[in-house]
């Protein structure tokens, strides 16, 4: 293998997309770059990748990576249902959903919840900037109480924490990160790809045009000052030996469904990502302090995903023909005689 | 003794919802059918689990009519709350079989009816006091016995009907037969036949027929049409469609050894999510469907518009109920036709299929999946509560003859032999482009599906000419659809006057044409089976002076579509006849206004 290709022999360029049409400095563009790196390093097959999104700035980003792959830019807040249908139709697809905070926590909250409770095998990214960019800066439902709009208006309504909500709903993989922290984000993305079930990644992604001012809790400066990193993360793909030295008790080894590992090296906090109640408390306590925690908040690798629960046959449903789907003539006659 | 009325009358059973009368009603229906006499049962039920009134009409019809009739000849009165109203609804000369404790005073004591009092409650108490909750079911079965005696249905035939109803459950057959016998014995000892209604065995009218609801037939159509993804949200009157599909899928789509399933059925959080799953699955290459009713398609409008513009296949069953709004959830209507045709904002026109019979509910369901794939667009199948939930006599459904038509799908091999392709190019000039499915192993397979403006290569575009070109191509596809969708059914013998109808209105038209013939007016008939309209519709109208468009909605929705789409000089020939009170249309809704209009000059002359 040369240095210029990944494990399936593709160059990094294959993972690139069209030039971005978002604002210069937008957090979403950084996420796109981290995604390209994660997908390239992971060795995702472009033809099997289904890039799904809703409507909004975030939902435009599937055009900016893996141009060869199929994309489905759906309706505002309705990506989860389309992702569910696509996964059921072809369980071999790697479904990658990209949404925003308005798309997820306002108009799409219902579908978000039900995607999680069905544990549809997909990666669901929330590019979270606390505001509506395309319509020029209105608050979204993830805006923090007390956060200031560019116009000076203060948000008085309770914030919806998409991670806390996901854990409450029984999500099996919940992480939070920051668009500017590629070191943490790339391994979390790769772990999300490896996880079998819904992997939620809430990525704080500042809006440079409408929400990057003093008084906003989603500005670059605020995020840098209040990001409490729970652990450093290292993704070790399946089959690779774990060659990291660590003192016993300092690293949490998350074993993922495809044989890969996510090694979480504990920092100041004593966060246990397998403890749902503990994760909720960690989120809550940080929020009360005006901070937010990043890292793998919660993971449960023992739950079946939707396709497994439905006992779907291994062959993608989309490929089944008459022979597989129609009963035999004799069975049909018997059925008709039973009336 | 008055003249005998044989095999042509309607029995109405009036009961309280939740009192377990459904089995007895079906046994009665089945017993009459077993005498070789065609029957058309109609269940008129409330939106309620228990306590509100419900009526079951069994139309006995030697001519084999399938539609409702207004006339009630024989009333079985088992609901004290509607006793007065029920008696008032019986035709002069009719019969009332009633619970003995109901008062016969004032309006309920009619001179022109024959009354038979049966102490149903007391008999049930006497014989089935140990049966707990079963007692109310058995009480209903006693009425079957009493009626069997009065109408001369042999006990053995009722027993056959019971066996058919309870399948192989011998104990249930025995217990219910005991109740039937109690009814027969009571009638024999206490009721002297004083009325004119009789059933007599017939031959050749029901051979090879069975009872089936349209929803069951549609579910079988989905099963045989290769549906692999179903997403639904429960709603009356469509729920049983998906429930039957689940039932059949559990039996016929599961590998008996491994338990692996080749179907996915999801109960969604709402109808919009159900539609999203359908179009997500359709995009990924599965044959997907959802079933709903009016309120559901209101929610689905958003995704159906997406499916239209992004050109994603998907099948939506709308088992229509009475609207607007929540309306009458358990009553029937053809009220969604215009809405379904242009569902969603902007310029949209959808493929709408309009089954009229159980057979069509099955066949058009299969066709819907082929059309959705062939035309790469949503297909809405509009039946209604009458077709979907009532049992209809139908011949056994045939095994499908056609293989699936998956439409224009390019595989990896196709792509390898092509220099380039564009998702929305109109290569064949029929408005239908080629598509690829996610998972196709070729570097050119991928494209971006979007509801935003796009060009022939599926690239985002706001160019005025690109946008307009796209809409024009979709219109071209609609023109292709006109001759691709099921053609109208035409019965034409060169008369001046004609009827156009669709869906279950058909059955009232059949009877109405006979009645009109008896009155000296013969009319031609065209039954529309799909939108967009076939070119045949315009030529049919052209050949007639007056065309009555009959439908079950207030606004004359197909009439409106015809007025919009027919050449202007033909529009004046159209007249609209409408029925919209929630119960299925009957023949007189058509006969009365049509006769009046056609005889108008004669009346003036008198």
């Amino acid at each position: 293998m040369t240095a210029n290709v990944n494990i399936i022999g593709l160059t990094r360029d294959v993972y690139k997309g069209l030039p971005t049409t978002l604002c210069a400095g937008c957090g979403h563009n950084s996420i796109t770059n981290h995604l390209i790196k994660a997908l390239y390093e992971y060795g995702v097959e472009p033809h099997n990748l289904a890039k799904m999104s809703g409507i909004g700035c975030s939902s435009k980003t599937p055009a900016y990576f893996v141009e060869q792959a199929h994309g489905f830019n759906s309706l505002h807040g309705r990506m989860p249902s389309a992702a569910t249908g696509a996964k059921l139709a072809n369980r071999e697809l790697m479904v990658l959903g990209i949404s925003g905070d308005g798309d997820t926590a306002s108009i799409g909250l219902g579908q978000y919840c039900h995607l999680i409770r069905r544990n549809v095998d997909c990666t669901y990214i929330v590019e979270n900037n606390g505001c509506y960019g395309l319509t020029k800066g209105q608050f979204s439902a993830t805006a923090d109480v007390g956060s200031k709009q560019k116009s000076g208006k203060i948000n008085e309504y309770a914030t919806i924490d998409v991670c806390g909500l996901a854990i409450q709903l029984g999500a099996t993989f919940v992480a939070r990160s920051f668009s500017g922290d590629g070191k943490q984000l790339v391994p979390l993305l790769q772990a999300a790809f490896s996880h079998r079930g819904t992997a939620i990644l809430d990525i704080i992604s500042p809006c440079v045009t409408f929400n990057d001012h003093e008084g906003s809790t989603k500005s670059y400066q605020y995020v840098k000052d209040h990001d409490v990193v729970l652990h450093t993360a290292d993704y070790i793909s399946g089959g690779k030996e774990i060659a990291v030295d660590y003192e016993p008790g300092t690293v949490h080894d998350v074993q993922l469904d495809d044989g890969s590992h996510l090694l979480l090296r504990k920092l100041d906090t004593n966060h246990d990502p397998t403890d749902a109640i503990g994760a909720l408390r960690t989120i809550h306590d940080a929020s009360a302090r005006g901070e937010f925690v990043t890292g793998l908040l919660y993971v449960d690798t023992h739950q079946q995903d939707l396709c497994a629960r439905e006992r779907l046959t291994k062959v993608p449903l989309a490929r089944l023909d008459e022979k597989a789907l129609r009963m035999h003539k004799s069975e049909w006659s018997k059925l008709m005689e039973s009336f | 003794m008055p003249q005998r009325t044989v095999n042509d009358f309607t029995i109405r059973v009036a009961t309280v919802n939740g009192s377990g009368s459904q089995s007895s009603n079906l046994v009665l229906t089945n017993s009459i059918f077993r005498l070789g006499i065609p029957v058309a049962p109609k269940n008129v039920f409330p939106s309620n689990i228990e306590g509100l009134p419900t009526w079951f009409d069994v139309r006995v019809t030697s001519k084999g009519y399938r539609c409702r009739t207004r006339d009630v000849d024989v009333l079985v009165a088992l609901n004290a709350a509607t006793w007065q109203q029920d008696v008032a609804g019986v035709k002069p000369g009719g019969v009332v079989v009633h619970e003995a404790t109901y008062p016969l005073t004032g309006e309920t004591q009619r001179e022109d009816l024959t009354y038979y009092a049966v102490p149903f409650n007391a008999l049930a108490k006497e014989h089935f006091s140990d049966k707990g909750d079963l007692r109310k079911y058995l009480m209903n079965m006693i009425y079957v016995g009493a009626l069997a005696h009065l109408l001369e249905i042999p006990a053995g035939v009722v027993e056959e009907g019971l066996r058919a109803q309870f399948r192989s459950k011998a104990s249930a057959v025995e217990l219910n037969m005991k109740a039937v016998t109690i009814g027969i014995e009571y009638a024999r000892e206490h009721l002297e036949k004083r009325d004119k209604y009789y059933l007599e065995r017939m031959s050749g009218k029901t051979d090879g027929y069975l009872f089936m609801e349209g929803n069951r037939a549609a579910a079988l159509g989905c099963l045989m049409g290769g549906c692999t993804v179903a997403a639904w949200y429960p709603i009356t009157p469509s729920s049983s469609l998906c429930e039957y599909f689940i039932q059949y899928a559990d039996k016929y789509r599961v590998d008996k050894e491994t338990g692996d399933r080749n179907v996915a059925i999801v109960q969604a959080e709402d109808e919009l999510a159900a539609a999203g799953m359908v179009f997500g699955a359709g995009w990924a290459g599965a044959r997907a469907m959802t079933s709903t009713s009016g309120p559901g398609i209101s929610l689905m409008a958003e995704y159906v518009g997406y499916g239209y513009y992004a050109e994603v296949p998907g099948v939506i069953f709308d088992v229509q109920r009475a609207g607007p709004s929540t309306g009458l959830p358990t009553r029937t209507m053809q009220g969604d036709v215009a809405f379904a045709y242009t569902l969603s904002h902007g310029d949209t026109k959808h493929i709408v299929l309009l089954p009229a019979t159980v057979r069509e509910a099955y066949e058009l369901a299969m066709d819907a999946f082929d059309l959705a794939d062939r035309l790469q667009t949503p297909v809405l199948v509009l039946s209604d509560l009458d077709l979907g939930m009532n049992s209809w006599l139908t011949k056994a459904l045939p095994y499908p003859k056609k293989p699936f038509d998956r439409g224009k799908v390019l595989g990896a091999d196709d792509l390898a032999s092509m220099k380039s392709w564009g998702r929305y190019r109109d290569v064949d000039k029929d408005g239908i482009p080629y598509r690829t499915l996610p998972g196709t192993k070729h570097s050119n397979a991928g494209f971006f599906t979007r509801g935003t403006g796009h060009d022939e290569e599926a690239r985002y575009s706001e160019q005025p000419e690109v946008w307009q070109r796209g809409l024009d191509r979709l219109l071209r596809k609609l023109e292709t659809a006109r001759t691709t969708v099921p053609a109208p059914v035409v019965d034409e013998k060169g008369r001046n006057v004609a009827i156009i109808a669709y869906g279950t209105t058909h059955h009232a038209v059949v009877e109405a044409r006979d009645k009109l013939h008896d009155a000296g007016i013969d009319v031609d008939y065209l039954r529309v089976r799909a939108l967009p309209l076939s070119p045949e519709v315009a030529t049919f109208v052209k050949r007639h002076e007056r065309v009555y468009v009959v439908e079950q909605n207030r606004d004359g929705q197909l009439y409106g579509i015809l007025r919009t789409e027919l050449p202007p000089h033909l529009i004046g020939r159209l007249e609209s006849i409408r029925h919209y009170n929630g119960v299925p249309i009957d023949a007189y809704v058509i006969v009365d206004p049509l006769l009046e209009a056609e005889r108008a000059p004669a009346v003036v002359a008198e």
Side-chain angles (χ1 to χ4, degrees):
Chain A
M1 194 196 290
T2 70
N4 299 330
V5 295
N6 65 4
I7 52 166
I8 58 165
L10 298 177
T11 64
R12 195 184 163 110
D13 279 352
V14 172
Y15 293 85
K16 290 183 179 164
L18 300 169
T20 176
T21 57
L22 300 175
C23 308
C26 175
H28 300 358
N29 288 333
S30 309
I31 296 172
T32 298
N33 290 331
H34 300 316
L35 254 174
I36 289 168
K37 183 167 197 273
L39 291 160
Y40 168 73
E41 287 179 0
Y42 188 90
V44 170
E45 294 183 293
H47 75 274
N48 258 343
L49 175 64
K51 305 177 292 181
M52 322 278 297
S53 64
I55 294 291
C57 294
S58 58
S59 294
K60 289 171 175 251
T61 63
Y64 313 146
F65 61 88
V66 200
E67 201 187 349
Q68 279 185 20
H70 270 81
F72 191 105
N73 180 205
S74 73
L75 296 162
H76 201 9
R78 321 297 182 215
M79 175 265 280
S81 58
T84 304
K87 187 69 191 180
L88 289 171
N90 185 347
R91 62 183 304 179
E92 288 178 359
L93 294 177
M94 177 179 150
V95 175
L96 171 57
I98 301 192
S99 177
D101 39 300
D103 200 58
T104 293
S106 291
I107 194 167
L109 192 62
Q111 296 208 350
Y112 175 71
C113 293
H114 287 273
L115 178 88
I116 290 169
R117 66 180 275 271
R118 291 190 187 101
N119 202 24
V120 178
D121 183 23
C122 67
T123 299
Y124 186 106
I125 293 169
V126 185
E127 299 189 343
N128 188 347
N129 57 18
C131 72
Y132 288 82
L134 280 177
T135 53
K136 302 192 188 296
Q138 299 85 352
F139 282 127
S140 84
T142 66
D144 293 302
V145 176
S147 188
K148 199 191 330 184
Q149 214 174 60
K150 207 174 179 184
S151 66
K153 194 172 159 189
I154 305 289
N155 177 44
E156 297 176 4
Y157 296 100
T159 181
I160 291 176
D161 188 302
V162 295
C163 290
L165 180 64
I167 294 168
Q168 186 103 49
L169 290 164
T172 53
F173 185 110
V174 182
R176 177 167 280 149
S177 191
F178 166 44
S179 61
D181 187 356
K183 207 164 168 264
Q184 181 193 53
L185 182 51
V186 170
L188 284 176
L189 282 167
Q190 291 172 333
F193 302 157
S194 287
H195 176 69
R196 194 168 299 133
T198 307
I200 301 293
L201 270 138
D202 177 35
I203 308 172
I204 311 300
S205 174
C207 172
V208 283
T209 305
F210 295 108
N211 209 7
D212 197 28
H213 46 268
E214 178 101 30
S216 159
T217 62
K218 297 265 192 304
S219 67
Y220 275 109
Q221 196 56 51
Y222 188 93
V223 173
K224 278 176 193 155
D225 293 347
H226 298 84
D227 180 355
V228 178
V229 181
L230 290 172
H231 35 236
T232 62
D234 285 301
Y235 175 80
I236 316 285
S237 65
K240 270 196 192 164
E241 209 176 309
I242 300 173
V244 193
D245 289 331
Y246 51 83
E247 278 180 46
T250 60
V251 166
H252 191 103
D253 177 2
V254 181
Q255 298 185 33
L256 296 155
D257 301 88
D258 63 355
S260 59
H261 295 257
L262 187 69
L263 300 181
L264 304 171
R265 190 185 303 270
K266 291 173 187 172
L267 297 174
D268 303 344
T269 59
N270 205 17
H271 178 67
D272 173 7
T274 62
D275 173 9
I277 302 297
L280 287 170
R281 189 176 297 119
T282 302
I283 293 167
H284 179 83
D285 290 350
S287 167
R289 292 192 305 269
E291 297 174 337
F292 63 96
V293 285
T294 59
L296 182 64
L297 295 165
Y298 180 68
V299 68
D300 176 0
T301 55
H302 305 295
Q303 301 302 319
Q304 286 187 313
D305 74 311
L306 178 66
C307 292
R309 265 189 218 285
E310 290 297 315
R311 304 199 65 172
L312 293 194
T313 181
K314 297 289 173 287
V315 185
L317 297 178
R319 291 196 202 130
L320 298 173
D321 60 8
E322 294 89 343
K323 202 167 174 300
L325 296 175
R326 277 181 182 162
M327 69 179 87
H328 191 264
K329 229 173 177 165
S330 60
E331 274 185 298
W332 180 259
S333 307
K334 240 165 79 185
L335 175 62
M336 283 301 125
E337 279 161 23
S338 72
F339 287 103
Chain B
M1 201 64 175
Q3 208 183 339
R4 288 161 66 99
T5 297
V6 182
N7 296 352
D8 273 301
F9 54 90
T10 296
I11 304 163
R12 166 166 292 181
V13 185
T15 50
V16 180
N17 201 35
S19 69
S21 57
Q22 191 66 357
S23 302
S24 48
N25 295 337
L26 293 174
V27 168
L28 174 69
T29 307
N30 218 294
S31 303
I32 300 169
F33 165 67
R34 269 154 209 283
L35 291 172
I37 312 166
V39 274
K42 303 272 181 211
N43 192 10
V44 179
F45 60 105
S47 179
N48 157 266
I49 301 299
E50 198 172 87
L52 289 181
T54 179
W55 296 272
F56 191 86
D57 290 353
V58 184
R59 180 173 189 189
V60 184
T61 154
S62 61
K63 289 188 176 133
Y65 293 132
R66 301 278 196 272
C67 63
R68 194 180 73 89
T69 167
R70 284 179 207 183
D71 301 327
V72 175
D73 301 277
V74 178
L75 171 71
V76 179
L78 293 169
N79 184 1
T82 57
W83 166 234
Q84 214 163 348
Q85 161 194 351
D86 290 336
V87 170
V90 182
K91 201 173 147 185
V95 170
V96 178
V97 179
H98 64 96
E99 160 58 39
T101 55
Y102 294 173
L104 281 179
T105 51
E107 286 175 22
T108 56
Q109 195 173 25
R110 280 173 53 180
E111 295 295 319
D112 55 351
L113 301 180
T114 306
Y115 291 86
Y116 298 105
V118 182
F120 292 109
N121 275 308
L123 286 169
K125 214 174 233 175
E126 182 189 338
H127 295 280
F128 303 117
S129 57
D130 58 332
K131 296 295 179 208
D133 284 350
L134 274 181
R135 199 170 83 193
K136 61 181 182 184
Y137 295 91
L138 293 165
M139 189 189 88
N140 285 313
M141 220 45 93
I142 296 174
Y143 101 65
V144 176
L147 216 54
H149 178 77
L150 287 169
L151 300 174
E152 300 189 347
I153 311 173
V157 172
V158 181
E159 197 168 349
E160 280 174 38
L162 273 173
R163 276 212 194 89
Q165 180 67 24
F166 295 101
R167 308 267 158 165
S168 50
K169 281 180 266 174
S171 58
V173 173
E174 197 187 328
L175 183 61
N176 281 284
M177 196 58 208
K178 189 181 163 193
V180 170
T181 310
I182 289 164
I184 294 174
E185 292 299 326
Y186 183 89
R188 182 179 295 152
E189 285 165 28
H190 300 91
L191 309 180
E192 187 200 338
K193 175 90 175 171
R194 287 173 279 125
D195 67 85
K196 61 180 178 178
Y197 297 99
Y198 291 89
L199 294 171
E200 283 176 10
R201 206 178 271 278
M202 293 176 73
S203 62
K205 285 279 191 172
T206 57
D207 301 343
Y209 280 83
L210 48 86
F211 283 108
M212 195 182 285
E213 312 100 293
N215 281 353
R216 188 196 287 269
L220 286 167
C222 294
L223 191 78
M224 303 307 273
C227 174
T228 51
V229 176
W232 68 300
Y233 187 80
I235 182 171
T236 304
S238 86
S239 301
S240 61
L241 199 163
C242 266
E243 282 167 343
Y244 280 128
F245 186 64
I246 292 168
Q247 183 187 315
Y248 289 123
D250 284 348
K251 186 159 181 197
Y252 297 107
R253 291 287 189 82
V254 182
D255 187 304
K256 287 185 182 70
E257 277 161 33
T258 62
D260 286 354
R261 300 167 63 86
N262 54 23
V263 66
I265 305 170
V266 180
Q267 188 181 318
E269 55 269 34
D270 56 39
E271 288 91 343
L272 176 53
M277 291 175 202
V278 165
F279 291 108
W283 171 74
R287 297 196 139 187
M289 73 92 167
T290 182
S291 84
T292 189
S293 191
I297 63 160
S298 287
L299 256 79
M300 291 177 184
E302 200 184 6
Y303 248 121
V304 174
Y306 183 95
Y308 173 79
Y309 185 60
E311 301 181 66
V312 184
V315 174
I316 294 146
F317 292 91
D318 174 8
V319 186
Q320 297 166 97
R321 66 191 212 184
S325 193
T326 309
L328 296 175
T330 59
R331 299 296 153 85
T332 197
M333 192 177 181
Q334 297 179 313
D336 300 344
V337 179
F339 183 52
Y341 188 33
T342 59
L343 191 62
S344 198
H345 52 274
D347 284 321
T348 50
K349 288 266 172 66
H350 303 295
I351 311 303
V352 178
L353 305 186
L354 301 162
T357 63
V358 167
R359 169 84 174 251
E360 283 187 346
Y362 165 67
E363 289 180 337
L364 295 194
M366 288 192 287
D367 287 347
F369 291 98
D370 282 349
L371 288 166
D373 272 345
R374 168 60 45 190
L375 297 164
Q376 298 174 25
T377 198
V379 173
L380 294 112
V381 186
L382 265 61
S383 75
D384 59 28
L385 181 142
D386 186 18
L387 177 58
M389 290 189 74
N390 280 318
S391 281
W392 300 70
L393 277 181
T394 188
K395 287 216 158 140
L397 303 175
Y399 191 80
K401 287 180 191 74
K402 292 183 285 187
F404 300 156
D405 176 6
R406 298 304 318 258
K408 301 182 186 179
V409 180
L410 298 173
D413 293 345
D414 300 314
L415 294 169
S417 66
M418 298 165 82
K419 257 191 226 140
S420 72
W421 78 288
R423 167 67 180 100
Y424 298 112
R425 289 183 197 165
D426 189 5
V427 179
D428 303 325
K429 305 293 171 216
D430 56 2
I432 309 168
Y434 284 78
R435 65 174 183 143
T436 58
L437 303 179
T440 303
K441 201 166 181 177
H442 192 279
S443 56
N444 285 346
F447 66 92
F448 213 78
T449 301
R450 47 162 55 98
T452 42
H454 47 255
D455 66 9
E456 286 79 358
E457 316 303 309
R459 293 175 302 217
Y460 180 72
S461 171
E462 297 178 359
Q463 292 288 324
E465 59 278 10
V466 169
W467 173 255
Q468 189 168 334
R469 210 160 60 221
L471 288 188
D472 287 343
R473 183 180 56 73
L474 287 172
L475 204 58
R476 207 147 59 235
K477 183 157 87 173
L478 195 82
E479 290 307 312
T480 301
R482 288 187 195 280
T483 49
T484 312
V485 297
V489 178
V490 182
D491 179 5
E492 188 176 6
K493 291 205 177 78
R495 293 114 172 183
N496 294 332
V497 181
I499 288 175
I500 288 180
Y502 58 94
T504 53
T505 301
H506 166 69
H507 305 283
V509 173
V510 170
E511 187 178 358
R513 289 177 81 206
D514 284 357
K515 289 196 164 18
L516 288 166
H517 171 80
D518 294 344
I521 295 177
D522 284 307
V523 295
D524 286 341
Y525 177 34
L526 178 144
R527 182 162 64 82
V528 173
R529 295 202 298 162
L531 298 174
L533 293 167
S534 153
E536 276 185 61
V537 178
T539 54
F540 178 83
V541 172
K542 207 173 160 186
R543 290 191 296 269
H544 295 88
E545 286 172 23
R546 285 178 303 286
V547 178
Y548 293 86
V549 183
V550 189
E551 53 196 315
Q552 298 179 69
N553 55 62
R554 186 193 66 182
D555 294 340
Q557 297 184 9
L558 181 70
Y559 172 73
I561 292 168
L562 286 164
R563 286 181 64 95
T564 308
E565 299 197 1
L566 289 185
H569 68 279
L570 295 179
I571 290 169
R573 303 179 183 198
L574 303 175
E575 299 286 341
S576 174
I577 294 178
R578 299 168 275 213
H579 170 83
Y580 47 94
N581 64 4
V583 296
I585 187 171
D586 66 82
Y588 287 103
V589 171
I590 305 165
V591 172
D592 291 347
L594 204 146
L595 272 185
E596 197 181 309
E598 291 300 317
R599 280 181 175 165
V603 172
V604 171
E606 277 168 19

